[in-house]
Amino acid sequence: ETAVFQTPNYHVTQVGNEVSFNCKQTLGHDTMYWYKQDSKKLLKIMFSYNNKQLIVNETVPRRFSPQSSDKAHLNLRIKSVEPEDSAVYLCASSSSLGGRSAETLYFGSGTRLTVL
Amino acid sequence: GEQVEQLPSILRVQEGSSASINCTYENSASNYFPWYKQEPGENPKLIIDIRSNMERKQTQGLIVLLDKKAKRFSLHITDTQPGDSAMYFCAASASSGSWQLIFGSGTQLTVMP
């Protein structure tokens, strides 16, 4: 099966803790992303990673950092979680076609983070 | 940063009627406009897309229109069914040559039987 796989599905933690979410895609894509979907369902891009080039949304707090070992994996680490980090984190991938154009995003099933 | 405006945020229609969602974008260099459907508890899934070299595209009861002059694009769902009830997102490529997508704020569509 080819898709975008995320773990865990849910995570509950306390303020100040560190969390890590994993994402792996088996679609052969060269670009991966992390999106945050808040309680109002707004989808905000956090990071995109293509050929070792990281593009960061400047509104993302520094406690968030992506970690990639290869083009099929893009994990997300949050160093010290805050209550406002409670959201669904969606990993996605696409083929950039050499950066010439945007292509279809394939989303993972998401990780729902609850910060107490 | 670049924004995509999506309206309406909530849409209720009777089964069998059509539903329309409208989006506007800022960057005239944007060239890719996908639409995603997200059902409760699920991830967003692509349902239809259009590129800037087209003005209209249709597939399986879905029609997308693109007006590049007005920087506006729209989704029309004909003959709606209860299974069409979901959250719909439009998106636009951040700029020509960029693989990033900027999403609209979503439309919660409810099809009433």
Side-chain angles (χ1 to χ4, degrees):
Chain A
E1 186 190 358
T2 54
V4 181
F5 301 96
Q6 286 186 244
T7 57
N9 292 328
Y10 302 92
H11 191 86
V12 181
T13 190
Q14 292 188 324
V15 170
N17 285 350
E18 177 175 316
V19 299
S20 275
F21 305 145
N22 300 313
C23 181
K24 167 188 166 182
Q25 56 93 6
T26 57
L27 295 161
H29 289 160
D30 60 358
T31 308
M32 295 185 73
Y33 312 78
W34 278 101
Y35 279 83
K36 179 181 180 181
Q37 188 168 40
D38 62 20
S39 58
K40 294 180 182 176
K41 302 295 184 185
L42 291 173
L43 276 166
K44 297 286 187 193
I45 188 164
M46 302 178 71
F47 305 99
S48 67
Y49 199 82
N50 170 275
N51 281 330
K52 299 185 181 179
Q53 181 188 4
L54 176 66
I55 298 177
V56 182
N57 184 327
E58 63 271 12
T59 65
V60 174
R62 284 190 172 185
R63 59 182 180 276
F64 290 84
S65 59
Q67 298 169 320
S68 177
S69 54
D70 54 57
K71 66 178 185 178
H73 296 83
L74 186 65
N75 300 331
L76 180 66
R77 185 179 80 154
I78 314 173
K79 222 187 273 188
S80 176
V81 296
E82 300 281 338
E84 62 263 30
D85 298 337
S86 294
V88 175
Y89 292 86
L90 288 161
C91 176
S93 72
S94 72
S95 174
S96 71
L97 296 182
R100 291 195 300 277
S101 65
E103 295 296 324
T104 303
L105 284 182
Y106 293 82
F107 285 92
S109 55
T111 296
R112 181 176 294 278
L113 173 66
T114 301
V115 180
L116 302 174
Chain B
E2 295 179 46
Q3 292 203 37
V4 174
E5 301 283 341
Q6 182 172 348
L7 290 171
S9 54
I10 297 173
L11 181 58
R12 293 190 183 93
V13 299
Q14 288 293 139
E15 182 177 354
S17 66
S18 61
S20 296
I21 304 171
N22 299 294
C23 291
T24 58
Y25 59 99
E26 295 180 346
N27 193 332
S28 56
S30 295
N31 60 5
Y32 178 60
F33 308 91
W35 288 87
Y36 285 81
K37 176 183 180 182
Q38 186 176 25
E39 302 193 63
E42 300 285 321
N43 54 359
K45 292 181 175 66
L46 179 79
I47 52 172
I48 191 169
D49 57 13
I50 191 167
R51 295 194 184 273
S52 56
N53 60 351
M54 299 176 73
E55 294 179 349
R56 185 181 192 276
K57 187 173 179 180
Q58 181 171 356
T59 178
Q60 294 179 329
L62 301 175
I63 300 170
V64 289
L65 302 174
L66 173 62
D67 182 344
K68 285 177 289 185
K69 228 177 195 178
K71 288 188 277 188
R72 185 170 56 214
F73 58 115
S74 56
L75 173 69
H76 306 272
I77 307 172
T78 60
D79 188 25
T80 53
Q81 300 297 312
D84 294 325
S85 296
M87 194 78 169
Y88 290 82
F89 293 94
C90 65
S93 54
S95 60
S96 182
S98 168
W99 57 82
Q100 296 207 12
L101 292 176
I102 307 298
F103 282 83
S105 53
T107 296
Q108 181 66 55
L109 172 65
T110 302
V111 179
M112 298 172 291

Short mmCIF file of all heavy atoms in Angstrom, two decimals, chain A residues 23-48:
data_model
loop_
_atom_site.label_atom_id
_atom_site.label_comp_id
_atom_site.label_asym_id
_atom_site.label_seq_id
_atom_site.Cartn_x
_atom_site.Cartn_y
_atom_site.Cartn_z
N CYS A 23 6.33 10.79 10.37
CA CYS A 23 5.62 10.74 9.09
C CYS A 23 6.51 10.06 8.05
O CYS A 23 7.69 10.39 7.92
CB CYS A 23 5.25 12.14 8.63
SG CYS A 23 4.34 12.13 7.06
N LYS A 24 5.88 9.16 7.33
CA LYS A 24 6.60 8.43 6.28
C LYS A 24 5.68 8.34 5.07
O LYS A 24 4.49 8.09 5.21
CB LYS A 24 6.95 7.03 6.79
CG LYS A 24 7.40 6.05 5.73
CD LYS A 24 7.54 4.66 6.34
CE LYS A 24 7.65 3.59 5.27
NZ LYS A 24 7.72 2.24 5.87
N GLN A 25 6.25 8.56 3.88
CA GLN A 25 5.45 8.40 2.68
C GLN A 25 6.09 7.37 1.76
O GLN A 25 7.32 7.32 1.63
CB GLN A 25 5.24 9.75 1.96
CG GLN A 25 6.49 10.52 1.57
CD GLN A 25 6.99 10.25 0.19
OE1 GLN A 25 6.35 9.54 -0.60
NE2 GLN A 25 8.15 10.81 -0.16
N THR A 26 5.24 6.55 1.17
CA THR A 26 5.70 5.49 0.28
C THR A 26 5.23 5.75 -1.15
O THR A 26 5.06 4.82 -1.93
CB THR A 26 5.20 4.12 0.77
OG1 THR A 26 3.76 4.16 0.85
CG2 THR A 26 5.77 3.77 2.12
N LEU A 27 5.01 7.02 -1.46
CA LEU A 27 4.51 7.40 -2.78
C LEU A 27 5.64 7.77 -3.74
O LEU A 27 5.37 8.12 -4.90
CB LEU A 27 3.53 8.58 -2.64
CG LEU A 27 2.26 8.25 -1.87
CD1 LEU A 27 1.56 9.52 -1.38
CD2 LEU A 27 1.32 7.43 -2.73
N GLY A 28 6.86 7.76 -3.24
CA GLY A 28 7.98 8.14 -4.10
C GLY A 28 8.07 9.63 -4.35
O GLY A 28 8.75 10.07 -5.28
N HIS A 29 7.39 10.42 -3.52
CA HIS A 29 7.42 11.86 -3.69
C HIS A 29 8.73 12.45 -3.17
O HIS A 29 9.44 11.84 -2.38
CB HIS A 29 6.25 12.50 -2.93
CG HIS A 29 4.92 12.21 -3.58
ND1 HIS A 29 3.73 12.32 -2.89
CD2 HIS A 29 4.60 11.84 -4.83
CE1 HIS A 29 2.74 12.03 -3.70
NE2 HIS A 29 3.23 11.72 -4.89
N ASP A 30 9.01 13.68 -3.63
CA ASP A 30 10.27 14.30 -3.20
C ASP A 30 10.04 15.50 -2.28
O ASP A 30 11.01 16.15 -1.87
CB ASP A 30 11.09 14.74 -4.41
CG ASP A 30 10.36 15.75 -5.29
OD1 ASP A 30 9.19 16.09 -4.98
OD2 ASP A 30 10.94 16.19 -6.29
N THR A 31 8.79 15.81 -1.99
CA THR A 31 8.51 16.95 -1.13
C THR A 31 7.54 16.54 -0.04
O THR A 31 6.54 15.85 -0.31
CB THR A 31 7.88 18.11 -1.93
OG1 THR A 31 8.71 18.40 -3.06
CG2 THR A 31 7.76 19.36 -1.07
N MET A 32 7.83 16.96 1.18
CA MET A 32 6.95 16.65 2.31
C MET A 32 6.64 17.92 3.08
O MET A 32 7.38 18.91 3.01
CB MET A 32 7.59 15.60 3.22
CG MET A 32 7.76 14.24 2.52
SD MET A 32 8.38 12.94 3.58
CE MET A 32 6.94 12.62 4.61
N TYR A 33 5.53 17.87 3.81
CA TYR A 33 5.02 19.06 4.48
C TYR A 33 4.46 18.69 5.85
O TYR A 33 4.04 17.56 6.08
CB TYR A 33 3.85 19.68 3.70
CG TYR A 33 4.05 19.85 2.23
CD1 TYR A 33 3.93 18.77 1.36
CD2 TYR A 33 4.33 21.11 1.69
CE1 TYR A 33 4.11 18.93 -0.01
CE2 TYR A 33 4.50 21.27 0.32
CZ TYR A 33 4.39 20.18 -0.52
OH TYR A 33 4.55 20.34 -1.87
N TRP A 34 4.41 19.70 6.69
CA TRP A 34 3.61 19.62 7.90
C TRP A 34 2.63 20.78 7.89
O TRP A 34 3.02 21.94 7.66
CB TRP A 34 4.46 19.68 9.16
CG TRP A 34 5.06 18.36 9.52
CD1 TRP A 34 6.33 17.94 9.28
CD2 TRP A 34 4.40 17.27 10.17
NE1 TRP A 34 6.51 16.65 9.75
CE2 TRP A 34 5.34 16.22 10.30
CE3 TRP A 34 3.11 17.08 10.67
CZ2 TRP A 34 5.03 15.00 10.91
CZ3 TRP A 34 2.80 15.87 11.27
CH2 TRP A 34 3.75 14.85 11.38
N TYR A 35 1.35 20.43 8.10
CA TYR A 35 0.29 21.42 8.23
C TYR A 35 -0.29 21.31 9.64
O TYR A 35 -0.36 20.23 10.22
CB TYR A 35 -0.83 21.17 7.22
CG TYR A 35 -0.56 21.68 5.83
CD1 TYR A 35 0.18 20.93 4.93
CD2 TYR A 35 -1.06 22.91 5.42
CE1 TYR A 35 0.42 21.40 3.65
CE2 TYR A 35 -0.83 23.38 4.13
CZ TYR A 35 -0.08 22.62 3.26
OH TYR A 35 0.15 23.10 1.99
N LYS A 36 -0.74 22.43 10.15
CA LYS A 36 -1.47 22.45 11.41
C LYS A 36 -2.92 22.79 11.11
O LYS A 36 -3.21 23.76 10.39
CB LYS A 36 -0.87 23.51 12.35
CG LYS A 36 -1.59 23.63 13.69
CD LYS A 36 -0.95 24.70 14.56
CE LYS A 36 -1.66 24.83 15.90
NZ LYS A 36 -1.06 25.90 16.75
N GLN A 37 -3.82 21.96 11.64
CA GLN A 37 -5.25 22.24 11.49
C GLN A 37 -5.84 22.50 12.87
O GLN A 37 -5.86 21.62 13.72
CB GLN A 37 -5.98 21.09 10.80
CG GLN A 37 -7.44 21.43 10.47
CD GLN A 37 -8.10 20.43 9.54
OE1 GLN A 37 -7.90 19.23 9.67
NE2 GLN A 37 -8.90 20.92 8.61
N ASP A 38 -6.30 23.73 13.06
CA ASP A 38 -6.77 24.11 14.38
C ASP A 38 -8.24 23.72 14.58
O ASP A 38 -8.85 23.08 13.70
CB ASP A 38 -6.55 25.61 14.63
CG ASP A 38 -7.31 26.48 13.65
OD1 ASP A 38 -8.29 26.00 13.03
OD2 ASP A 38 -6.94 27.65 13.48
N SER A 39 -8.79 24.15 15.71
CA SER A 39 -10.16 23.75 16.05
C SER A 39 -11.19 24.33 15.09
O SER A 39 -12.29 23.81 14.98
CB SER A 39 -10.48 24.18 17.48
OG SER A 39 -10.31 25.58 17.61
N LYS A 40 -10.82 25.40 14.38
CA LYS A 40 -11.72 25.97 13.37
C LYS A 40 -11.48 25.36 11.99
O LYS A 40 -12.03 25.83 11.00
CB LYS A 40 -11.52 27.49 13.29
CG LYS A 40 -11.92 28.22 14.55
CD LYS A 40 -11.70 29.71 14.42
CE LYS A 40 -12.06 30.42 15.72
NZ LYS A 40 -11.77 31.87 15.65
N LYS A 41 -10.67 24.33 11.94
CA LYS A 41 -10.38 23.59 10.71
C LYS A 41 -9.47 24.35 9.75
O LYS A 41 -9.30 23.91 8.61
CB LYS A 41 -11.67 23.17 9.99
CG LYS A 41 -12.60 22.31 10.83
CD LYS A 41 -11.95 20.98 11.16
CE LYS A 41 -12.92 20.09 11.91
NZ LYS A 41 -12.24 18.83 12.34
N LEU A 42 -8.89 25.45 10.19
CA LEU A 42 -7.97 26.18 9.32
C LEU A 42 -6.71 25.36 9.09
O LEU A 42 -6.13 24.83 10.04
CB LEU A 42 -7.61 27.53 9.94
CG LEU A 42 -8.72 28.57 10.01
CD1 LEU A 42 -8.25 29.78 10.79
CD2 LEU A 42 -9.20 28.95 8.64
N LEU A 43 -6.29 25.29 7.83
CA LEU A 43 -5.08 24.54 7.45
C LEU A 43 -3.95 25.53 7.22
O LEU A 43 -3.98 26.32 6.28
CB LEU A 43 -5.32 23.75 6.17
CG LEU A 43 -5.98 22.39 6.28
CD1 LEU A 43 -6.45 21.92 4.92
CD2 LEU A 43 -5.02 21.37 6.89
N LYS A 44 -2.93 25.44 8.07
CA LYS A 44 -1.80 26.37 7.94
C LYS A 44 -0.52 25.58 7.70
O LYS A 44 -0.21 24.66 8.45
CB LYS A 44 -1.62 27.19 9.23
CG LYS A 44 -2.78 28.08 9.55
CD LYS A 44 -2.83 29.28 8.63
CE LYS A 44 -3.92 30.25 9.08
NZ LYS A 44 -4.21 31.26 8.07
N ILE A 45 0.20 25.96 6.65
CA ILE A 45 1.45 25.25 6.40
C ILE A 45 2.49 25.67 7.43
O ILE A 45 2.59 26.85 7.79
CB ILE A 45 1.96 25.50 4.96
CG1 ILE A 45 3.14 24.59 4.68
CG2 ILE A 45 2.28 26.97 4.75
CD1 ILE A 45 3.48 24.47 3.21
N MET A 46 3.23 24.69 7.90
CA MET A 46 4.28 24.96 8.87
C MET A 46 5.65 24.85 8.20
O MET A 46 6.50 25.72 8.35
CB MET A 46 4.19 23.99 10.03
CG MET A 46 2.87 24.01 10.77
SD MET A 46 2.83 22.80 12.08
CE MET A 46 3.95 23.53 13.25
N PHE A 47 5.87 23.75 7.52
CA PHE A 47 7.15 23.49 6.88
C PHE A 47 6.92 22.78 5.55
O PHE A 47 5.97 22.02 5.41
CB PHE A 47 8.03 22.56 7.73
CG PHE A 47 8.27 23.00 9.12
CD1 PHE A 47 7.53 22.47 10.17
CD2 PHE A 47 9.24 23.95 9.40
CE1 PHE A 47 7.75 22.87 11.46
CE2 PHE A 47 9.47 24.36 10.71
CZ PHE A 47 8.72 23.82 11.74
N SER A 48 7.85 23.02 4.63
CA SER A 48 7.94 22.13 3.47
C SER A 48 9.40 21.77 3.31
O SER A 48 10.30 22.56 3.63
CB SER A 48 7.37 22.77 2.22
OG SER A 48 8.17 23.86 1.82
#
